[in-house]
Amino acid sequence: MPHELPKAYEPGAIETRWADYWIKEKLFSVPTPPPGETRPVFTLLLPPPNVTGRLHMGHMLNQTQMDIIVRWHRMRGFITLWLPGTDHAGIATQMMVEKQLTKEGKKRKDLGREKFIERVWEWKREYGGAILDQMKRLGASVDWDREYFTMDENLSHAVREVFVRLYEEGLIYRGHYIVNWCPWHETAISDLEVKHEDVAGKLWEIRYPVVGTNEFITVATTRPETMLGDAAIAVNAKDERYIHLHGKHVLLPLMNREIPIITDELAQPEFGTGAVKVTPAHDPNDFEAGKRHDLPQINVMDEHAHMNANAGAYAGLDRFEARKRVLADLQEQGFLVGEKDYALSIGKCERCGTIVEPRLSEQWFIKIAPLAERAKEAVESGEITIVPDNHRQVYLNWMNNIHDWCVSRQLWWGHRIPAWTCAKCKHVTVAREAPLTCGKCGSTELEQVSDVLDTWFSSGLLPFTTLGWPDKTRDQAVFYPTTLLITAYEILFFWVARMIMFGCHFMQGHEQDAAIKKASGWADKKNDNVPFREVYIHALVRDADRQKMSKTKGNVIDPLEIIERFGTDATRFTLAAMAAPGTDIAFSESRTDGYRAFANKIWNAARFMFMNVDRLGFVWGQPPSAVRPGQSPGSPGHVVGVSGFELATLEDRWILSRFNRVVADVNDALKTYRFHEAANRIYDFFWGDFCDWYLELIKPRLNFEEGADTSAAQIACANLVNLFDASLRLLHPVMPFITEEIWQAMHEGKPPLKSIALAGYPQADEKQFDLVAETEMAILQDLIVSVRNLRAELKVEPKVKVPIEVFAHEPDIRRMIEQNRGAIERLGHVEKIAFVEGSLANKPGARGTARFDVHVIYERKIDVAAECERLKKELEKIEKELANNQKQLGNEQFLAKAPEKVVEGLRRRGQELLVLQEKTKSKLKELGCQ
């Protein structure tokens, strides 16, 4: 039965079909291994996208890298678990639903909390799966049977348990503190959720009359509306200008309220006037000063950033409108001294862009220092490795300067804080389940706190809660710690640090299954409470001009649009090939188009293979007697080298050696997340070595006359099929769809396994390295390319065959060229080869190398001037390389540190360059070049 592979490569239809097949067949579902399992384990947690999300280029990069690593481990025989899920995304989701309500002319408070939450669940059921559907389209090899949502009941139960335990341990407390307040969302947000922008602002100087004197104290502020809540004026105790005013009071302009002059380090004599206003309810530094001096905390704004009753005549005004009125009144009453231009750093809510207001509010906090200490130690000791290494220091710096974490949010959607307030005595009870009575006074009038937890609180628990915590489970023994986390820099503190803190704290005493730990290569790790062994921080995807993508700039690249045009495989390959650790990716459509052409090249090579397989009647897995029996693709694991390969010719020995070297390089690159190296080595091998050279070299063996002996063709076909199979397996983690399509076609719909994704990944076999074959083939390739280049320079018509002369510098080289005369004549379009004694390098239409000289005999007159110019450029290039070579060989430090092979290679190259230099100079002299 002929192999079916359409003439044209159309990725769209192929990719959808295989993405659906992988899910339908549950190829990536992982049952919990029983005790006694000794295979290595690889576990990776998908950074859960927001339920509101749509796939962007950052997701595409992240998921491409994760899928490459996961497929690579699976094919190497690891029990491989990739856990998918989505985050409930408190603020973002509530915002989406409130926008829907606004279109209906409603507000959430019109519905009430219970009805609003029902509405959010409805929205989630209708729209919340979009990003996971997109992941499925991309072929992400996750375990869909273990998919979670951070508001699932089992995870909600774990969140309550964590909160209560931390509270019982004294690590969660409630108090009035200055927080970052978003007036649009009407909630506190963390420091990490505030984005700062440098803007041109104003600095206003205001004078405060000193009570009982004719003096004034002048202070400067960028937020004059907050002066309505001033509680004091601070001066430094050492500032001699104000010593006589210590203990006195000033009259607060506009409010006619007396406030004290205090001495505090908040005021620095060298800055401004040396005096500062103290507003404890609206500035974090003022808040601390207020506590030191027992000052009143006068909040003059409500949750919408409108002035409240404490603002007197300005009550009801928006904060910025109030600012205008305050300044006008200060001017009118003679208290405004001046106005200056001033550069400001404005904090804005990262989600809605509203200017954040520092505001006194009652919130719940985690006492973070005890958790941070262990999390810091986990990275310092090497229990967790962060790659690239520069992010390790950034992490440690942040942990050394960490502040208590405000975990409460004034939202309705999210994990509600498990705390209840007694209506009678105001006592707060924190409990796992709703209490029936107040623990202090026995009242049954209890109301649950309305706040919910920061989204990052629940997502920080995922490495262990998704594995069954707080129960002790077999999943935890097998899959915790997870092996690797691949994520973006911007959530290093939001998420990564918090997972480490929570994991180290709540998984204390946990031990991973000893046999699995040893098999997985972690036997030297003492502690199993960390959430993951390694963290890889991937780079940003920028536009082709290396600009950060933004809607404002109009340079956002939609990955789904790119996939539609070029295919998923080509898009994945682009991201992999450009993903050097620590270097941002300048995404280029031209590169993606190039990798679409690469996929097409592979497709056409497969069609060439099938044409010959069908013509010969070759049956894979039943090789002719001339071919050593080899295994068909088997179960995942160590599939060493290429099996069933007969070393009949130089090109067979060469391609087998090249393949094994590429395999070694690719495996080595993937171990350290050098995705670009892995992708580029595969590309060079498949396009260059395999398609451009090997296929061309074996064509004569595949051609045979009707009725002739086909044994040579059978051997060539067997080698081709076995090598193509191994090459597809090598490529599969990066380009899963096209490799699946061709691999299935190779098996004519009856593969030994359900998918190439379950076949073994190639491992290098050093016994199949052949340096002699690689050296000889390099000479042969150099000779053929030299002939092609000379033909082009001499403007020989493509159809015209030309004779050539060859001077081989060594007998072995001549012998090798003679043995491969047919390949040279066919691929160089050569009529005949004549061997001569003596250099040809000085002849027009000739090339001299360190191993051979070649002369294309063609009667067309040579343009001497052009040839001189070409030779001069060639000499310049040779001499530049020679200078660099001699510089390296003259560097004693380099020679002391460099491997012997490298030094020997440099010395050989130096000798070759000297030969080339002499030949080129001779040729210039012969042509009379000036």
Side-chain angles (χ1 to χ4, degrees), residues 700-754:
R701 285 194 283 158
L702 293 171
N703 290 329
F704 59 91
E705 297 291 332
E706 191 70 33
D709 179 14
T710 64
S711 58
Q714 290 281 349
I715 291 171
C717 200
N719 285 351
L720 174 58
V721 171
N722 283 307
L723 180 63
F724 208 110
D725 161 65
S727 300
L728 288 175
R729 287 184 280 115
L730 181 70
L731 175 63
H732 176 73
V734 189
M735 290 181 123
F737 293 103
I738 191 172
T739 51
E740 184 77 88
E741 180 76 7
I742 296 172
W743 188 81
Q744 294 279 354
M746 287 174 74
H747 289 282
E748 301 181 73
K750 296 177 182 178
L753 298 162
K754 286 185 176 182

Side-chain angles (χ1 to χ4, degrees), residues 368-377 395 399 402 501:
I368 210 74
L371 301 178
E373 192 57 38
R374 173 71 186 94
K376 188 175 72 169
E377 180 190 316
Y395 167 89
M399 296 302 280
I402 199 167
M501 287 189 277

Side-chain angles (χ1 to χ4, degrees), residues 500-623:
I500 297 173
M501 287 189 277
F502 281 145
C504 290
H505 188 75
F506 286 101
M507 295 300 285
Q508 284 183 56
H510 167 74
E511 291 184 3
Q512 189 174 20
D513 181 295
I516 286 174
K517 183 178 178 180
K518 182 179 179 182
S520 304
W522 303 114
D524 60 325
K525 300 292 184 181
K526 295 179 181 178
N527 293 308
D528 295 339
N529 54 23
V530 293
F532 25 72
R533 304 293 189 185
E534 292 185 305
V535 180
Y536 176 69
I537 305 293
H538 66 68
L540 284 176
V541 184
R542 298 178 180 270
D543 71 9
D545 297 320
R546 297 200 169 273
Q547 296 295 307
K548 191 171 182 179
M549 294 185 205
S550 73
K551 291 178 182 177
T552 309
K553 293 177 184 175
N555 64 343
V556 174
I557 300 169
D558 181 355
L560 296 176
E561 184 184 313
I562 298 294
I563 287 167
E564 191 67 31
R565 290 167 56 198
F566 302 107
T568 305
D569 280 338
T571 309
R572 285 170 62 113
F573 204 96
T574 305
L575 292 168
M578 301 179 80
T583 305
D584 287 348
I585 294 170
F587 189 84
S588 163
E589 287 189 18
S590 63
R591 286 282 292 268
T592 313
D593 194 30
Y595 295 127
R596 170 69 166 76
F598 175 53
N600 206 59
K601 185 93 168 176
I602 295 167
W603 187 264
N604 289 335
R607 283 176 51 78
F608 171 80
M609 173 183 69
F610 289 148
M611 178 186 72
N612 285 282
V613 165
D614 294 338
R615 192 165 57 85
L616 277 164
F618 176 79
V619 179
W620 191 22
Q622 297 178 18

